[in-house]
Amino acid sequence: MSETSERLPAGVERRSIEGRSRLATRGEPVYGEPTADGWRTWDPNRSKLGAMIELGMDHGLVGDETVLYLGAAAGTTVSHVADFAGPTYAVEFAARPARDLLSAAETRDRLIPLLKDARRPETYGHVVEADVDAIIQDVATRGQAAVAVRNARFLAPDGRLLLAVKARSEDVTDAPAAVFERTLDRLRDRYEIRETERLDPYHEDHLGVIATLR
């Protein structure tokens, strides 16, 4: 049975799969996730956005959004997003995971892979439509805030940034709390921070951030 008390986007439900209540979307499986009756488990241990939803963060997603996903990797999370959202632009630079991303897109008309570097939005600005409803970012690199700031050009005035900050990608020597604060300070050049929450126990040394344009 699905639950309606949670703030879940249309197309995302909590379903009983393998005897447990789990977040799920409808679509072809991508990473060997358990399925039942056409629903595929959305594993928060493998998805930063899934963890943000599980933790009750105010993600603002309602379903059918236009999404720019930065750091799509092999398509684990972005495939779930494309299951419930509208056009979903998936940016990934590394060739090896991009092959899996292309495979995930074969059964998803709304998933648009872009083999580009999220640090250089000018290289895909001619493809991504203006005023996307949400930017979802999971880029494991230094300068994660800079990536979000550079891509703010695509976000609608009332859109949201859903960012997962990986402390160890920024600085392996400094305390995660200090890394997070520096990242938030840089984000404030372009965004207003609405909510933050550590993504434990699903992802160690990660911070979930919800922000809107300033």
Side-chain angles (χ1 to χ4, degrees), residues 11 25-28 40 78-85 88 108 110:
T25 61
R26 278 194 174 275
E28 292 294 318
R40 51 191 291 249
V78 76
S79 63
H80 286 291
V81 173
D83 286 346
F84 70 82
T88 302
R108 293 172 172 86
R110 292 172 293 186

Side-chain angles (χ1 to χ4, degrees), residues 93-108:
F93 182 65
R96 184 168 183 175
R99 289 197 293 269
D100 292 330
L101 175 61
L102 289 171
S103 178
E106 288 179 357
T107 59
R108 293 172 172 86

Side-chain angles (χ1 to χ4, degrees), residues 18-170:
E18 294 189 342
R20 291 172 50 198
S21 179
R22 307 181 184 205
L23 288 177
T25 61
R26 278 194 174 275
E28 292 294 318
V30 169
Y31 51 99
E33 65 275 24
T35 62
D37 301 322
W39 292 86
R40 51 191 291 249
T41 300
W42 191 348
D43 185 352
N45 292 293
R46 299 188 61 168
S47 168
K48 315 306 189 308
L49 179 59
M52 292 167 74
I53 293 173
E54 282 282 12
L55 292 168
M57 295 188 71
D58 187 13
H59 50 79
L61 299 171
V62 297
D64 203 34
E65 289 90 357
T66 300
V67 174
L68 173 60
Y69 195 104
L70 306 175
T76 298
T77 297
V78 76
S79 63
H80 286 291
V81 173
D83 286 346
F84 70 82
T88 302
Y89 299 94
V91 177
E92 176 53 46
F93 182 65
R96 184 168 183 175
R99 289 197 293 269
D100 292 330
L101 175 61
L102 289 171
S103 178
E106 288 179 357
T107 59
R108 293 172 172 86
D109 294 340
R110 292 172 293 186
L111 181 54
I112 306 161
L114 299 174
L115 308 185
K116 301 291 185 179
D117 187 342
R119 295 170 295 186
R120 299 182 59 200
E122 67 276 7
T123 64
Y124 48 87
H126 63 293
V127 178
V128 178
E129 60 190 87
D131 294 342
V132 301
D133 299 304
I135 295 176
I136 301 172
Q137 180 178 322
D138 181 10
V139 177
T141 185
R142 283 182 178 269
Q144 293 165 79
V147 171
V149 168
R150 289 172 188 156
N151 282 273
R153 59 192 281 184
F154 300 112
L155 191 60
D158 59 348
R160 292 196 179 200
L161 170 70
L162 287 74
L163 169 64
V165 181
K166 184 177 182 180
R168 298 307 179 192
S169 291
E170 292 286 347

